[in-house]
Amino acid sequence: MAVNKVKGTYDVLPSESYLWQALENQIREVLGQYNFKEIRTPIMEYSEVFHRHTELSDMVTKETYDFDDRGDRKLTLRPEGTAGVIRSYVENKLYTSQELEKVYYIGPNFRYERPQKGRYRQFYQFGVEAIGTVDSALDAEMIILAYDFMKRLGLKGVRVKINSLGDEESRQNYRKALEDHFQPHVHELCSDCQQRITKNPLRILDCKVDQKHKAVKEAPTPQDYLNEVSRAYFQKVLQHLNAAKISYEIAHKLVRGLDYYSHTVFEIEADIEGFGAQNALGGGGRYQKLVSELGGPDLGGIGFACGMERLLLALEAENVAFAKESELDAYVIVFSEDLKVVATKILYELRVSGVKADMNYTQKSFKAQLKQALKMNSKYLIILGDDEYQKGVVGIKNTKTEKQEEVVISKIKKYMTEKLEKK
Ligand code: AMP
């Protein structure tokens, strides 16, 4: 019986994997320039890393893959990157060695969502976290980095949306105002939002069901409740963005559903045809309580995460191409089973010298092997026949010029590395 892939997952086939590699290379290059170092945390964590009592986003309450392991431990496949990174930051006491830890991660996340184009149950994100220091310049750096990265990829319709939720006091005041605002409409809202009114009213603003409700449209915005300190902090962030000439839009209703954000929140969108509602490429924000909630000191951080499938779809939609993998340098055609041993030796020597080489493993006729060899798109063909072998030579054919030369077997490595200008 054939078994299919799990709903909401996909395979990256050999013909496409170069796209992922190119994207990952680009991520590592740009993040390195901003002085972020990679952190790799496990895909599974104890459930409490994500299911904290204060956390009431839909993602955390409904969408996670939770399971008991054979030792009856409650585990969760990570639905996002930040919490695991913070768990590691605290567990390894990274705050004792650096005042500011700048890290990035690349890897799969899991959410039990309704799959559609650009939305999967296993999906990849890369993300960054700058933990330990609160500074408006860092908030701006995150946004600049996200914007710069997308621009350098070649995406055109990139938009930065930014807002501020303010410090704890501002947030609490805003929360209260939202609660008062929604309370008279409680029975007109969806059942989820009825719960959210007291638990996390900010989340109502993100609700897909109630998006068009008058009460949602007329809801107060966080900006109205920023205290002086928070207002000044936000102005500083904008000043930095202006200095770097990053264009942005202040999105008064942007709150991002997670309960832990404070001060700056932002999203990066792309205007791409056919993307519809899935046009958010990434988003993030500052958090203050997360480190202490996971058992660490009272230190703040800021981070952002970006969906990699959506980036690749966006690149495809905008016809931005990554360079394909380089073609084969040499492909060995062998005439008899016995000569395969000689081919193995030739291949080993070539590969050790940096030549990208392969051989034909089938027992086909010369004609059939040649046909296959041409399909491999190799720069050179090394033809190892019985007669040639008796003379101690091979034929080496340049597939572009079609010129063929006889080369002594012991000189193949020298000949090829010179032709290919390898070390
Ligand atoms: P979030 O962690 O929900 O803020 O998502 C950050 C980014 O990850 C989004 O802007 C998307 O690009 C991407 N993303 C989130 N959920 C999914 C999903 N289920 N499938 C694919 N990409 C996703």
Side-chain angles (χ1 to χ4, degrees):
M1 187 191 71
V3 182
N4 295 331
K5 60 185 180 290
V6 171
K7 187 175 173 187
T9 66
Y10 59 88
D11 300 311
V12 178
L13 299 176
S15 59
E16 314 157 332
S17 53
Y18 77 96
L19 291 168
W20 283 87
Q21 289 167 353
L23 181 60
E24 285 173 20
N25 290 343
Q26 179 81 356
I27 292 168
R28 290 178 202 284
E29 185 179 316
V30 175
L31 297 185
Q33 287 163 357
Y34 282 78
N35 197 26
F36 284 83
K37 294 201 171 61
E38 187 175 6
I39 182 165
R40 299 191 189 197
T41 63
I43 283 164
M44 55 185 177
E45 296 275 359
Y46 287 119
S47 296
E48 66 227 50
V49 170
F50 306 107
H51 296 293
R52 300 180 307 278
H53 62 283
T54 49
E55 193 52 76
L56 288 159
S57 79
D58 283 355
M59 174 182 76
V60 171
T61 49
K62 290 198 291 210
E63 293 174 358
T64 50
Y65 281 87
D66 301 315
F67 60 98
D68 293 342
D69 76 0
R70 287 166 196 261
D72 285 333
R73 296 172 197 93
K74 303 228 166 298
L75 304 183
T76 296
L77 297 184
R78 67 178 183 212
E80 52 97 23
T82 305
V85 169
I86 302 296
R87 194 268 312 139
S88 171
Y89 174 81
V90 172
E91 185 170 349
N92 294 292
K93 295 195 172 53
L94 298 186
Y95 47 85
T96 54
S97 51
Q98 300 260 30
E99 270 183 34
L100 175 65
E101 191 67 55
K102 289 172 67 168
V103 293
Y104 75 89
Y105 56 85
I106 304 177
N109 294 331
F110 304 84
R111 293 184 197 170
Y112 195 80
E113 296 188 277
R114 196 167 61 80
Q116 51 191 294
K117 189 174 168 143
R119 185 167 288 282
Y120 309 92
R121 290 185 172 172
Q122 174 175 338
F123 64 98
Y124 274 73
Q125 278 186 340
F126 80 89
V128 297
E129 308 292 341
I131 319 158
T133 306
V134 181
D135 187 330
S136 53
L138 266 177
D139 298 40
E141 182 175 276
M142 284 286 153
I143 297 165
I144 294 169
L145 157 62
Y147 179 83
D148 178 17
F149 177 78
M150 312 263 179
K151 280 288 198 195
R152 275 205 241 178
L153 275 182
L155 292 177
K156 288 186 202 80
V158 178
R159 269 188 321 222
V160 176
K161 289 182 153 186
I162 176 172
N163 199 12
S164 172
L165 303 175
D167 60 8
E168 186 61 19
E169 181 189 79
S170 311
R171 263 176 51 92
Q172 289 307 333
N173 288 340
Y174 177 54
R175 217 186 128 113
K176 178 77 182 44
L178 274 184
E179 211 179 307
D180 293 347
H181 172 80
F182 284 122
Q183 211 48 266
H185 305 279
V186 58
H187 298 298
E188 300 154 27
L189 300 174
C190 75
S191 57
D192 283 342
C193 282
Q194 293 185 3
Q195 306 252 317
R196 289 171 183 147
I197 290 188
T198 48
K199 288 184 177 157
N200 183 8
L202 273 72
R203 184 74 186 81
I204 300 176
L205 301 179
D206 287 340
C207 179
K208 291 186 185 84
V209 182
D210 290 326
Q211 223 168 38
K212 297 207 167 74
H213 193 287
K214 198 160 165 273
V216 174
K217 286 189 173 160
E218 290 174 358
T221 67
Q223 295 271 329
D224 303 329
Y225 292 86
L226 295 186
N227 60 20
E228 209 144 305
V229 181
S230 304
R231 202 170 288 281
Y233 189 93
F234 190 46
Q235 284 311 315
K236 272 299 246 319
V237 176
L238 300 183
Q239 250 178 36
H240 286 287
L241 295 180
N242 292 339
K245 297 203 163 55
I246 302 291
S247 48
Y248 56 83
E249 176 192 324
I250 298 178
H252 290 274
K253 290 255 161 72
L254 178 68
V255 292
R256 296 188 51 81
L258 295 184
D259 204 30
Y260 57 63
Y261 286 118
S262 59
H263 285 297
T264 314
V265 286
F266 64 98
E267 268 177 10
I268 312 283
E269 284 183 0
D271 277 326
I272 293 157
E273 253 192 62
F275 252 53
Q278 312 301 330
N279 67 348
L281 297 179
R286 176 164 285 291
Y287 43 85
Q288 188 59 44
K289 291 179 292 185
L290 200 50
V291 180
S292 55
E293 258 178 30
L294 284 160
D298 182 23
L299 292 171
I302 181 160
F304 102 96
C306 188
M308 291 167 67
E309 291 81 4
R310 277 190 213 171
L311 274 181
L312 288 176
L313 285 169
L315 289 170
E316 193 186 314
E318 291 206 0
N319 283 322
V320 183
F322 279 125
K324 277 214 164 184
E325 255 174 309
S326 67
E327 56 195 24
L328 266 185
D329 293 320
Y331 190 76
V332 184
I333 297 179
V334 204
F335 279 80
S336 69
E337 189 58 31
D338 291 346
L339 285 179
K340 274 193 178 165
V341 180
V342 182
T344 297
K345 180 168 178 278
I346 295 172
L347 277 179
Y348 176 68
E349 283 178 3
L350 287 177
R351 287 164 173 167
V352 167
S353 319
V355 176
K356 190 170 173 181
D358 205 355
M359 71 185 264
N360 190 301
Y361 290 97
T362 60
Q363 289 294 317
K364 289 188 180 149
S365 68
F366 175 68
K367 222 175 122 193
Q369 285 199 48
L370 191 65
K371 212 170 131 196
Q372 207 166 12
L374 292 175
K375 248 183 27 203
M376 300 298 294
N377 213 7
S378 178
K379 289 177 193 150
Y380 289 87
L381 297 182
I382 300 180
I383 301 155
L384 184 56
D386 284 319
D387 293 348
E388 284 94 340
Y389 184 65
Q390 294 308 322
K391 288 198 282 171
V393 298
V394 292
I396 299 189
K397 182 172 179 159
N398 179 324
T399 53
K400 261 206 194 95
T401 62
E402 305 240 320
K403 228 179 89 189
Q404 185 164 329
E405 288 185 284
E406 251 185 18
V407 179
V408 177
I409 289 182
S410 61
K411 297 273 163 57
I412 296 175
K413 185 176 114 182
K414 187 166 179 287
Y415 178 89
M416 288 301 300
T417 49
E418 273 171 20
K419 288 278 180 202
L420 295 161
E421 294 176 358
K422 303 271 176 197
K423 62 187 167 195

